[in-house]
Amino acid sequence: MLYVDHDGTAPSPRRVRIFLAEKGVEIPTRRLRLHVENRTPEFLAKNPVGSLPVLELDDGTCLAESLSICRYLEELHPEPALFGATPLERALVDMWTRRIELYAYVPLDLAPGFVESAPAAAEKLRNWARLALRFLDGVLAERPFVAGERYTIADVVALASLDYGARFADFPLPGDHVHLARWHARVSARPSARA
Ligand SMILES: N[C@@H](CCC(=O)N[C@@H](CS)C(=O)NCC(=O)O)C(=O)O
């Protein structure tokens, strides 16, 4: 059983939903009201951190962390290879996924919480994300996808992060980042983006 948020807007569960759609794999899914049903004793017994998504296996093992869940699913369903197909590709995909997560997603996720209490810190975090997106725009001038010629988990994480930033962190795609905008249109047009 896969546990996700009730309305499909949370970025971490969305990573897993997109990933599954790209694989063409369906898993029984339960939608929980975010910040409420993921805080019940019953759910905390599955994931003491309380976060979504969680993948509960038939033997009762509960996997949390969206990327860990996706890695597990990649082992079970290797095609298409969304974490990379060769040692070098796997390292590059991992490198880009970490860059997107650490320098774009995390700052965008944290910034809103500091706007009132520490506006300078919020602005610093937003600036971090701005620099990351400018860098990514330059990268996407040279190739169609974040980690290279093929769609990978790095694109999944980038799409979920940027859509989250635009929707919940007052951080729309900068208008002058034409390569990033073209990439965003390309990955948003994939059926998985609506999963
Ligand atoms: N690093 C974790 C982040 C999980 C996370 O923060 N999930 C959010 C939704 S995107 C959540 O469950 N928030 C609700 C809460 O913490 O009460 C992952 O990738 O799964």
Side-chain angles (χ1 to χ4, degrees):
M1 177 69 69
L2 178 67
Y3 295 88
V4 298
D5 57 311
H6 61 291
D7 64 1
T9 59
S12 306
R14 189 175 178 219
R15 294 176 181 181
V16 180
R17 292 202 321 273
I18 295 175
F19 189 86
L20 284 168
E22 288 287 338
K23 294 278 183 187
V25 169
E26 288 185 18
I27 292 182
T29 298
R30 188 168 299 164
R31 295 178 176 271
L32 301 185
R33 193 154 289 277
L34 194 63
H35 306 304
V36 180
E37 288 176 303
N38 60 312
R39 294 288 165 195
T40 63
E42 186 197 1
F43 186 76
L44 291 174
K46 301 182 194 300
N47 176 18
V49 175
S51 61
L52 295 168
V54 164
L55 178 64
E56 184 172 23
L57 308 184
D58 289 346
D59 72 353
T61 304
C62 288
L63 292 175
E65 292 297 328
S66 53
L67 286 174
S68 308
I69 293 170
C70 291
R71 275 189 187 280
Y72 175 72
L73 294 170
E74 175 100 341
E75 296 282 341
L76 298 185
H77 308 280
E79 298 295 334
L82 296 178
F83 279 85
T86 65
L88 178 59
E89 206 187 358
R90 279 195 282 277
L92 288 169
V93 169
D94 188 58
M95 178 181 86
W96 283 104
T97 303
R98 289 177 63 78
R99 283 178 169 168
I100 301 295
E101 177 145 80
L102 293 172
Y103 307 130
Y105 174 65
V106 170
L108 285 178
D109 191 33
L110 293 180
F114 287 102
V115 168
E116 302 231 318
S117 59
E123 193 43 37
K124 203 162 195 168
L125 287 163
R126 290 170 64 82
N127 203 41
W128 206 345
R130 259 182 224 114
L131 290 172
L133 295 201
R134 190 182 305 153
F135 180 55
L136 193 55
D137 184 55
V139 164
L140 290 166
E142 307 292 327
R143 58 191 194 224
F145 297 109
V146 172
E149 296 301 314
R150 291 196 312 110
Y151 183 94
T152 68
I153 185 72
D155 297 284
V156 176
V157 173
L159 178 64
S161 303
L162 297 196
D163 285 353
Y164 169 76
R167 193 159 176 189
F168 295 108
D170 188 25
F171 200 93
L173 285 191
D176 60 343
H177 289 16
V178 293
H179 309 293
L180 188 62
R182 205 174 298 136
W183 165 87
H184 186 262
R186 190 179 306 130
V187 294
S188 298
R190 297 170 82 93
S192 63
R194 293 182 295 284

